[in-house]
Amino acid sequence: MMALPQENTYTIEDIYKLPEGTRAELIDGQIYYMAPPSRMHQKILHFFDRTIGNYIAEKGGLCEIYPAPFAVFLNKDAINYVEPDLSVICDPSKLDDKGCHGAPDWIIEIVSPSSQCMDYLTKLLRYRTAGVREYWIVNPMTRMVTVYAFHSEEQTGMFSFDDEIPVTIYPGFTIKLTDVL
């Protein structure tokens, strides 16, 4: 009888040992390397950062926004570490100089050809089970945004970049991406 090959289980320490500038995430002890973002990816990320930041500032909100690269220790364990494209954190006790310990309130991931499986499947499950309240998957290739409102009755919505997309954690706030592309 042959033993099955063992997969290595990596920890956050292994992430910190990667060469400077290497971007990777750790999910259930497995390392996933990240491709450098495209110019369009960065343009969309900047739009969200600015739009959401302006909204929070205008309302006098206490939530903080962190664009990638920003460490999120999702389950407060040694085998899960992600760098969402955008994290909105409303509980300051989760934040320290290393990043966010626990689930952000709202995460936005911008899909690239190499990240589709991670964003639509692996991260969807991780974010939901960790307690993220709202998760947006923004797909520049299809010009669609998939919204998961885990904290409310409406579980999901599909929106085009031309739609006013409601932010469920901020009632009355909508975002339209028409002008980004």
Side-chain angles (χ1 to χ4, degrees):
M1 199 161 100
M2 282 180 47
L4 292 173
Q6 297 272 323
E7 286 190 27
N8 287 338
T9 299
Y10 296 97
T11 67
I12 291 168
E13 290 305 313
D14 295 306
I15 292 288
Y16 286 141
K17 291 177 187 172
L18 292 173
E20 184 76 28
T22 303
R23 291 199 51 218
E25 295 179 308
L26 182 69
I27 297 177
D28 293 333
Q30 295 304 302
I31 293 177
Y32 297 89
Y33 292 94
M34 301 163 65
S38 68
R39 183 186 67 80
M40 183 52 62
H41 180 284
Q42 293 302 92
K43 186 175 180 179
I44 294 169
L45 179 58
H46 178 68
F47 169 81
F48 276 118
D49 189 27
R50 188 179 67 245
T51 303
I52 297 165
N54 289 345
Y55 177 83
I56 292 171
E58 286 168 13
K59 298 293 181 184
L62 301 176
C63 300
E64 296 186 37
I65 305 166
Y66 294 94
F70 179 73
V72 174
F73 305 94
L74 209 49
N75 300 325
K76 300 183 190 175
D77 60 24
I79 60 168
N80 286 285
Y81 165 97
V82 292
E83 290 185 2
D85 289 318
L86 195 76
S87 301
V88 178
I89 298 119
C90 300
D91 179 355
S93 72
K94 291 181 179 180
L95 296 168
D96 68 13
D97 283 344
K98 287 190 177 213
C100 177
H101 301 269
D105 293 87
W106 182 14
I107 288 178
I108 297 174
E109 293 284 7
I110 302 162
V111 175
S112 66
S114 64
S115 74
Q116 289 187 67
C117 185
M118 286 292 289
D119 294 335
Y120 284 105
L121 299 172
T122 308
K123 288 184 176 180
L124 172 64
L125 177 64
R126 287 291 154 254
Y127 292 161
R128 183 182 185 128
T129 57
V132 171
R133 294 170 55 208
E134 186 160 350
Y135 175 39
W136 286 24
I137 305 171
V138 179
N139 191 327
M141 297 159 286
T142 62
R143 295 179 52 88
M144 295 296 292
V145 178
T146 305
V147 174
Y148 294 93
F150 299 134
H151 66 97
S152 74
E153 296 299 312
E154 340 167 356
Q155 287 295 25
T156 202
M158 293 279 296
F159 301 91
S160 100
F161 277 26
D162 299 324
D163 293 331
E164 293 281 345
I165 306 169
V167 179
T168 64
I169 66 166
Y170 294 124
F173 179 36
T174 61
I175 296 176
K176 190 171 185 175
L177 288 137
T178 305
D179 300 331
V180 175
L181 295 181

